[in-house]
Amino acid sequence: MAMANSAEELVFNPPELVAKNAHCSSMEQYREMHKESIKDPEAFWSKIAKEFHFENNSVGKFFEYNFDITKGPIFIQWMKGSRTNICYNCLDRHVLAGKGDAIAFYWEGNDPADRNSVTYAELLSEVCQVANFLKSRGVAAGDRVAIYMPMIKELVVAMLAVARIGAVHNIVFGGYSADSLCDRIVDAGAEVLLCADGVWRGNKLVHLKEIADEAMKMCSSRGVEVRLNVVVRHMTRVTHPASLHDTSNGHPAKKTHFDHQGRYKVTWNSDVDVDWETATSSSSSECPVVWLDSEDPLFMLYTSGSTGKPKGVLHTVGGYMLYAATTFKYSFNYHPGDVYFCTADIGWITGHSYVTYGPLLNGATSVLFEGVPTYPHTGRFWEIIERYKVSKFYTAPTAIRTLMKYGDEPVKKFDVSSLRVLGTVGEPINPEAWLWYHRVVGGGNAAIVDTFWQTETGGHVITPLPGATPTKPGSACFPFFGISVCLLDEAGEEIEGEGEGYLVFRQPWPGMMRSVYNNHQRFQETYFQKFPGFYTTGDGARRDKDGYIWVTGRIDDMLNVSGHLLSTAQVESALVEVEQVAEAAAVARPHPVKGECLYCFVTLKQGEKFTEELVADMKNKVRSKIGPFAQPDYLQLAPGLPKTRSGKIMRRVLRKIAVGDRDFGDITTLADPTVVELLFENRPANA
Ligand code: WTA
């Protein structure tokens, strides 16, 4: 390790233990493989495709695409004409190879007393039962099925069952509100929902079914009828937090959601609701797979859009499969015998690619964790790592920063010496958190992989490889195989060597999104319009003198709260739904744990007062329209907003005000520059 004053000069070589048996064990090997993957993608990926089951060999071209909107519609196709099924490749392939008894998942509940495990063979038969049940209720290839579940085995079963019969899953994160769930069901036109009754997150109870019921009612008023809701009665089998039994002051959930016998109450609509267990246990545990074209849709996953309306990012079967499997294998240097633990929720892309598909495609053994990192104590992750001797661990910078606050002690209480690779994802990681992760969690012996990617990219696109890449704290390092990174300036000119610009990719890779569901136009405009010939990530990045890539964050109106991407427009439209609010502008303000938090400026209608009650109403509105994680940290009354003469809000100035920085830059183009000083003077006391 070379010490220097900036993170750019700090370099950590791959730990010996990791480099020894790495799939890619030197920078020379990396460069060679990367070069081949760019120059001859067909040769590179067709070799990998041979490890998977395809019903027939590809007819026609291995891949075809157009990235240049000026030449015609954007399209990307890999292995079109080849028929496969991802569920078959995740389960049947391993079971047929005699690996059915291997553990697919160790499940750790919110309460440490709740634990079990499931093998590949068991997973396969449960998936078949659910698939058969769905078929019996008329679910067919191409149908969209919404899933709203906590981190339980049934969530994995649900997605694989849907994939097995060629339907398209649309998973909605369990922290989303009824409004958000409804939007995602309506846009996808999903008639079937798979959910759970409820879930404990630490001491907090989330009433999933209640939220789903509300969402279905809203859907109905928007013309989409959910005809079937399969409900896992999860609450009947979990240990409730001790506080629920405390009679002295009583848990708030107890009064409203538990009956006299202490059973969790749910309302049941027998026209729509069926009990998961009853419905599926009588179905056959064998179910033939539906062979799909590699380019048939596998899933859609909604991500924030800068206009406020979420986009249904669409992934297809074949390319996504190759890419999720290959990135998992190389980025975590996965080997049989590893125990892998990814803390992400399956409701986000990280959970899709690196809880379910990547690990299962590699026949890996993983930990599936339902709870939160601080319950019942702040060493929960480390306890789990010790229990299962986890060797590969993947989490988010915001989680690392949260846990860092408790110091080294909670980590030291447990034996985490099994760890070899430590991954992070979701936002740029600050060097301080990186170094703590490396020193305290990894004991200096584990490789840190800061993986940059997006819902849209399907898998890692810029990442170190644990046995090969010398890492720099805070840099995602180098492009993965198949990724051709470019930095462009505003004029679209390529920045060679050192410099900072728009992060774009020059050619397609198998795992990239194919479209925005039902809106190909929006796909083209969002990702291909600004720089014809390139996929635009929406992030900025810097290349240092050694060629390392440092992702600097979003350059559009998106913000990243605890690794959750939100658009300012989404938050603003929620705020203006509050009756008293005339106009709102939301910006990101740096936050020590969340990475970024929301700072909102609101203009009220004539005669309205900025009361505490109104502030609470506004916060609640954002929570109910989007979800609790989106709640603004700061709300400031704004008599006016800094706008250009053409009426565009100058967010750059608002971001400065949010952090208390008077260095506003050029504000002469504002219609009324005095408003800036006024806003600055009236920053809220807590800001
Ligand atoms: C940000 C999550 C820096 C980035 C997989 C990206 C990162 C957005 C990193 C995608 C990282 C993710 N370093 N920034 N390692 N990982 N981001 O779609 O702004 O939820 O565009 O996918 O998160 O968020 P999404």
Side-chain angles (χ1 to χ4, degrees), residues 554-585:
R554 304 294 308 186
I555 35 191
D556 47 17
D557 290 331
M558 301 282 223
L559 59 129
N560 196 324
V561 179
S562 306
H564 303 325
L565 213 54
L566 284 171
S567 73
T568 51
Q570 213 179 350
V571 176
E572 287 157 7
S573 73
L575 287 171
V576 296
E577 276 191 31
V578 176
E579 210 193 306
Q580 297 93 323
V581 176
E583 199 178 15

Side-chain angles (χ1 to χ4, degrees), residues 303 349-350 425-428 450-456 539 551 554 560 563 565:
T303 184
I349 190 67
T350 305
V425 57
E427 53 177 310
D450 173 3
T451 62
F452 168 83
W453 61 296
Q454 309 177 295
T455 305
E456 293 87 338
D539 285 290
V551 178
R554 304 294 308 186
N560 196 324
L565 213 54

